[in-house]
């Protein structure tokens, strides 16, 4: 079984280092060492900065790949039109188990990221800078870096700067989630999609981009577009940071110029000579097969041309000795657990897709395969964030990439290979954190609460299954298929809501005295009578 990646794995570089300059000298570049390695940085105007990022064709390195110069100009134009100060946000929320590049940069080169962010803030006339993180190590490093520069969140500061720490969740990394948390709300995306460039933190135009993106700006501003363009491809100049894990001898973060063969990167990490497949772009990415690996080079355009994705920069090969569908099932189950639980197609659809993939592995036949395809289609473009879309893309890519194994499972007795667990996941089966109706971190499993159906009152309205799909499923007759069930800790609040909203008052919650006491406050025991009073208020 593959262990979870450390916050700061081994770091390698191909060619001359840019983002990783000085990593061979110290573990973390404090401000004096940062200036020794990189030198001073002169400020530049907004249009000058936009032209620089346009000339080097800089795209966001967090996964979406949006052209940075367009985002910068959009924020500037919106701020001028509205007559308000914009806000700059660095997204260092790297909450995917297979990604560590931004975490490495924040822990080892925080001032390079701040250079780019402060350059943008000065060019835009921003007076607020927020750095979003989710790990204790990144919080410590970035807070230390702000202190080394004399930056703080004081009201009299010319630039108010602070670190925003959020829970480690896949949806936390969404731009809308980070903005919502900065404004004091939960770290989940709002239901309404609004461009941060128009209305972000506090309603102000907000320049939000990934940590590596700001570090790339700092490099380009120092060396200029011509010298920056001497590294890598003509149409995608510079370097990229990749996290290579999976079936490799040495998991690592590697800085590599664009244009380097993907095969060479895999060899550096000790991947199998002929991998069964390589997952590109992380768990919202796509699989490519061994033959395609030989054609691919490290670039956004090249990987997309061969059916892959650079995404968040995660590269994960698997060997011939493991079941690719079983490996993908582990990821699909994790993706389902990472739902914010607020969009039906996501929090109902993704678990259904994972169950369908499990049915395929267990001999469910062509019907199970069609069910997975249908669910994957149904969840697309129906969520408040990109999580259902990315998860559906991963599922569809899995089905497309491993056709022989799929046929063996659907039409036969399986591929005969074990699941080795080589794709890294977070340890401990962590439950939802920081989400509405969720328990505290690490609280999973059943609580001491059980929910009961009174069949003498139940009229088959089906509302319980809509509110509490973790517990209730409707049968062919439209009635719940269970009469009683334990309530997962993270779903306790939803169970309480189901009891209060049942039109027939057919639900009740009672404490299960046969289980060990829960360390947290239990739900109040609601009888039918109390439920009536609650509805009557």
């Amino acid at each position: 079984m593959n262990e979870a990646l450390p916050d700061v794995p081994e770091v390698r570089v191909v060619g001359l280092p840019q983002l990783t300059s000085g990593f061979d000298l110290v573990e973390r570049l404090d401000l004096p060492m940062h200036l020794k390695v990189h030198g001073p940085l002169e400020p530049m105007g907004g249009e000058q900065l936009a032209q620089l990022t346009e000339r080097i064709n800089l795209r966001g390195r967090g996964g979406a790949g949006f052209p940075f110069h367009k985002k910068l100009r959009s924020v500037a134009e919106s701020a001028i039109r509205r007559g308000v100060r914009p806000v700059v946000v660095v997204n260092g929320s790297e909450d995917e188990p297979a990604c560590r590049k931004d975490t490495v940069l924040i822990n080892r080169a925080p001032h390079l990221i701040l250079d780019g962010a402060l350059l943008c803030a000065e060019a835009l006339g921003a007076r607020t800078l927020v750095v979003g993180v989710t790990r204790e190590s990144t919080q410590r490093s970035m807070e230390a870096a702000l202190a080394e520069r004399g930056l703080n969140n004081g009201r009299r500061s010319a630039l108010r700067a602070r670190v925003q720490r959020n829970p480690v969740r896949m949806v936390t990394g969404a731009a809308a989630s980070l903005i919502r948390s900065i404004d004091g709300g939960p770290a989940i995306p709002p239901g309404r999609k609004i461009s941060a460039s128009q209305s972000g933190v506090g309603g102000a135009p907000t320049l939000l981009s990934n940590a590596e993106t700001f570090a790339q700006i700092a490099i380009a501003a120092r060396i200029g577009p011509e010298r920056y363009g001497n590294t890598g491809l003509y149409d995608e100049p510079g370097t990229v940071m990749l996290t290579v894990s999976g079936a490799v001898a040495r998991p690592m973060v590697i800085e590599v110029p664009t244009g380097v063969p993907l095969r060479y990167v895999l060899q550096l990490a000790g991947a199998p000579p002929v991998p069964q497949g390589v997952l590109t772009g992380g768990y919202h990415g796509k699989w490519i097969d061994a033959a395609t690996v030989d054609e691919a080079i490290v670039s956004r355009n090249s990987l997309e041309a061969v059916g892959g994705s650079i995404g968040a920069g995660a590269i994960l090969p698997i060997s011939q000795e493991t079941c690719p569908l079983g490996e993908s099932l582990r990821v699909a189950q994790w993706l389902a657990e990472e739902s914010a639980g607020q969009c039906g197609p996501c929090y109902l659809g993704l678990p259904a897709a994972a169950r369908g993939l499990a049915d395929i592995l267990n001999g469910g036949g062509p019907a199970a395969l069609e069910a997975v395809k249908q669910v994957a289609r149904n969840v697309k473009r129906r969520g408040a964030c990109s999580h259902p879309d990315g998860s559906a893309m991963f599922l569809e890519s899995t089905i497309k990439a491993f056709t022989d194994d799929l046929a063996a499972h659907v039409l036969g007795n399986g591929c005969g290979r074990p699941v080795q667990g080589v794709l890294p996941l977070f340890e401990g089966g962590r439950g939802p954190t920081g989400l509405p109706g969720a328990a505290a971190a690490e609280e999973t499993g059943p609580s001491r609460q059980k929910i009961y159906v009174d069949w003498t009152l139940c009229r088959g309205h089906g509302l319980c299954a809509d509110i509490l799909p973790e517990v209730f499923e409707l049968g062919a007759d439209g009635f719940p298929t269970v009469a009683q069930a334990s309530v997962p800790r993270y779903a306790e609040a939803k169970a309480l809501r189901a009891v209060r909203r049942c039109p027939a008052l057919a639900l009740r919650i009672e404490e299960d005295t046969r289980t060990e006491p829960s360390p947290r406050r239990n739900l109040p025991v609601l009888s039918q009578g109390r439920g009536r009073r609650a509805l009557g208020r």
Side-chain angles (χ1 to χ4, degrees):
M1 299 290 286
N2 197 14
E3 295 181 358
L5 289 172
D7 278 10
V8 183
E10 177 185 354
V11 179
R12 297 285 297 275
V13 61
V14 174
L16 295 176
Q18 291 187 356
L19 302 178
T20 58
S21 293
F23 282 22
D24 57 332
L25 303 175
V26 292
E27 284 300 309
R28 178 184 180 275
L29 280 74
D30 59 13
L31 185 56
M33 180 58 73
H34 167 75
L35 293 173
K36 283 183 180 180
V37 170
H38 293 284
L41 181 61
E42 297 296 325
M44 59 177 61
E47 182 55 31
Q48 183 183 4
L49 184 59
Q51 290 178 6
L52 169 67
T53 57
E54 184 175 10
R55 287 185 64 183
I56 66 173
N57 194 21
L58 181 64
R59 292 174 176 267
R61 301 299 175 89
F66 191 80
F68 187 84
H69 70 93
K70 292 184 178 180
K71 186 182 296 186
L72 184 66
R73 288 192 171 105
S74 178
V75 172
E77 290 167 2
S78 180
I80 292 171
R81 183 176 64 254
R82 295 173 53 191
V84 297
R85 295 276 189 180
V87 175
V88 175
V89 175
V90 178
N91 193 348
S93 309
E94 196 170 39
D95 305 316
E96 194 171 316
C99 295
R100 289 296 184 276
K101 66 180 182 69
D102 292 323
T103 302
V104 163
L105 286 174
I106 294 173
N107 274 285
R108 300 197 62 180
H111 289 284
L112 199 62
I113 298 166
L114 286 179
D115 276 348
L118 293 171
L119 196 67
C120 293
E122 186 163 356
L124 290 169
R127 292 292 179 265
T128 303
L129 168 65
V130 183
V131 182
V133 300
T134 53
R135 292 182 169 86
E136 183 180 354
S137 64
T138 49
Q139 179 182 6
R140 286 199 310 266
S141 180
M142 191 53 74
E143 285 180 343
L146 292 177
E148 289 166 5
R149 289 177 179 254
L151 296 172
N152 57 62
N153 197 33
R155 292 183 178 276
R156 297 183 180 181
S157 300
L159 175 71
R160 299 184 64 175
R162 68 181 179 91
V163 175
Q164 172 73 25
R165 172 86 178 272
N166 287 328
V168 180
R169 297 289 296 178
M170 188 75 165
V171 295
T172 300
S177 299
L178 179 53
I179 289 173
R180 192 175 184 186
S181 71
I182 293 170
D183 283 338
I188 58 174
R192 198 166 47 127
K193 293 184 179 180
I194 303 175
S195 169
S197 300
Q198 304 304 312
S199 179
V201 175
T206 299
L207 179 70
L208 185 149
S209 201
N210 151 270
E212 184 194 341
T213 311
F214 285 108
Q216 293 284 0
I217 292 171
I219 294 294
R222 280 184 168 89
I223 66 178
E226 291 80 10
R227 187 175 160 195
Y228 188 94
N230 290 336
T231 300
L233 299 170
Y234 173 77
D235 58 342
E236 294 183 50
T239 64
V240 295
M241 298 284 284
L242 302 174
T243 310
V244 187
S245 63
V248 297
R250 299 179 305 279
M252 63 177 60
V253 168
I254 180 169
E255 183 183 12
V256 55
T258 55
V260 168
L262 181 60
R263 169 70 65 187
Y264 181 66
V265 173
L266 294 172
Q267 288 174 349
L268 283 177
V274 184
Q276 184 175 189
V278 178
L279 181 58
T280 60
Y283 296 159
H284 277 178
K286 297 180 180 179
W287 290 98
I288 59 176
D289 58 26
T292 306
V293 169
D294 292 330
E295 305 172 17
I297 62 175
V298 177
S299 87
R300 182 179 301 277
N301 292 335
S302 171
L303 286 172
E304 288 178 354
V306 298
S309 168
I310 200 164
I315 306 294
L316 301 106
I318 60 172
S319 70
Q320 299 283 350
E321 286 72 43
T322 189
C323 173
L325 299 182
E327 294 288 347
S328 297
L329 174 60
R330 294 176 64 247
V331 175
Q333 290 170 335
W334 179 80
L335 290 170
E337 292 170 357
E338 289 299 291
S339 169
Q342 59 179 1
C343 301
C346 182
Y347 82 82
L348 295 177
L350 295 186
R355 290 193 298 268
L357 190 55
D359 288 344
I360 291 174
L361 269 73
N362 294 327
L369 175 59
E370 288 305 314
V372 172
K373 291 180 178 179
Q374 182 65 40
V375 171
R377 287 193 296 267
N378 288 345
V379 301
K380 288 181 181 177
R381 296 176 295 277
R382 298 178 67 191
C385 68
S386 62
H387 182 58
D389 297 63
S391 301
M393 184 168 66
F394 169 79
L395 286 164
E396 290 176 335
S397 175
T398 299
I399 292 171
K400 183 179 178 181
F402 303 109
T403 53
D404 291 345
D405 293 85
L406 197 64
H409 283 281
V410 171
L411 303 175
N413 297 319
C415 66
R417 286 171 289 190
V419 179
Q420 297 178 341
V422 296
L423 300 180
L425 295 172
F426 290 124
E427 296 177 338
R430 182 197 71 227
T433 55
L435 306 178
E442 306 301 333
E443 287 197 354
T444 57
S447 68
R448 295 186 68 201
Q449 309 299 331
K450 295 195 75 172
I451 191 164
Y452 294 82
V453 178
D454 186 334
W455 295 117
T456 66
L457 296 175
C458 182
R459 294 294 179 265
H461 293 95
L463 193 64
C464 57
D466 289 337
I467 297 175
L468 197 61
E470 297 90 341
V471 173
F472 291 114
E473 185 175 342
L474 300 182
D477 57 0
F479 286 82
T481 56
V482 295
Q484 61 183 38
S486 296
V487 179
R489 290 181 185 171
Y490 70 85
E492 286 179 346
K494 289 201 289 184
L496 183 59
R497 190 159 65 249
V499 170
R500 287 174 170 164
R501 293 183 61 185
C502 176
L505 305 178
L507 299 178
R508 73 179 189 276
I509 291 176
E510 293 183 2
E511 183 175 340
D512 185 358
T513 57
R514 296 172 297 174
T515 59
E516 291 296 320
S518 173
R520 63 194 295 274
R521 180 180 60 83
N522 290 324
L523 284 174
V525 177
L526 291 185
S527 66
Q528 295 169 6
R530 185 172 175 182
R532 289 189 179 94
R533 289 195 295 273
L535 285 169
R537 283 198 293 268

